[in-house]
C-alpha cells in the first residue's frame, strides 16, 4: 500500500494546539497526541506546527530513541514535487566533551604549579 501524501499547504493548516502536524525529512507527523509527553515541552512542537521542521529537529540533536519513537506519529509523506533533502545529524559524540574537559583541567594545572613554585621561591629567598 502506498503512503498517503500531503502538500506543504495541507500541512500548514494544522498549526494550532488542537492539531499539530509538521514534516521532518519529507515525512509528515501528527504529534497532537504527543504534546503533553514531549520532553522539551509542547511549545517547541506548537512553534513548528504546519511547517517543515527538519532543520529545527536536527539542530536539537535528537537521540536514536527519539527518532525511533517518532515513527508511531508518522501519517504520510510530502508530495514528491515539494520534497527537499536535509542530511541527518549524528547523535552527540560525548567523547569530544571528555576531550574538552581534559583540556580545561590541563589549562589550570600549569598556572597552579607556577604559583606554587613562586610561593616556595619567595619563602626561600625572603624569609628571615
Amino acid at each position: 500500500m502506498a503512503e498517503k501524501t500531503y502538500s506543504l499547504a495541507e500541512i500548514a493548516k494544522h498549526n494550532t494546539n488542537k492539531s499539530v502536524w509538521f514534516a521532518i525529512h519529507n515525512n509528515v507527523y501528527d504529534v497532537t497526541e504527543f504534546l503533553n509527553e514531549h520532553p522539551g515541552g509542547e511549545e517547541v512542537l506548537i512553534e513548528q506546527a504546519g511547517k517543515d521542521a527538519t532543520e529545527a529537529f536536527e539542530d536539537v540533536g535528537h537521540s536514536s530513541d527519539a527518532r525511533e519513537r517518532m515513527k508511531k506519529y508518522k501519517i504520510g509523506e510530502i508530495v514528491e514535487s515539494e520534497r527537499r533533502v536535509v542530511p541527518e545529524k549524528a547523535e552527540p559524540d560525548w567523547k569530544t566533551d571528555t576531550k574538552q574537559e581534559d583540556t580545561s583541567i590541563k589549562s589550570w594545572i600549569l598556572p597552579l604549579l607556577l604559583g606554587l613554585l613562586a610561593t616556595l621561591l619567595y619563602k626561600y629567598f625572603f624569609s628571615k
Side-chain angles (χ1 to χ4, degrees):
M1 185 171 114
E3 288 268 354
K4 178 133 175 66
T5 57
Y6 299 92
S7 68
L8 293 173
E10 287 175 287
I11 296 166
K13 295 175 186 175
H14 298 272
N15 63 358
T16 69
N17 62 352
K18 302 284 185 227
S19 182
V20 180
W21 290 17
F22 47 67
I24 297 175
H25 292 293
N26 299 311
N27 294 308
V28 181
Y29 299 91
D30 179 352
V31 295
T32 311
E33 300 298 317
F34 184 62
L35 291 179
N36 294 329
E37 299 174 40
H38 186 253
E42 66 182 37
E43 302 82 21
V44 179
L45 298 178
I46 294 170
E47 184 178 303
Q48 296 301 318
K51 303 176 187 174
D52 184 331
T54 303
E55 288 182 29
F57 179 82
E58 291 298 344
D59 285 348
V60 173
H62 285 85
S63 67
S64 56
D65 289 341
R67 292 171 191 275
E68 186 64 31
R69 191 174 187 192
M70 67 191 274
K71 289 178 182 177
K72 83 179 213 181
Y73 299 101
K74 182 179 173 183
I75 59 171
E77 297 179 351
I78 293 179
V79 294
E80 192 75 37
S81 62
E82 295 181 348
R83 293 183 184 188
R84 43 185 227 132
V85 177
V86 176
E88 285 189 32
K89 292 185 181 175
E91 280 190 66
D93 182 7
W94 304 116
K95 292 177 187 173
T96 56
D97 290 346
T98 305
K99 194 177 267 187
Q100 187 176 5
E101 194 173 293
D102 290 346
T103 304
S104 66
I105 290 171
K106 290 176 186 172
S107 69
W108 64 263
I109 288 178
L110 182 61
L112 179 68
L113 290 175
L114 288 175
L116 183 60
L117 180 63
T119 302
L120 292 173
L121 288 173
Y122 179 81
K123 286 192 176 227
Y124 179 75
F125 287 112
F126 296 105
S127 62
K128 293 181 180 178

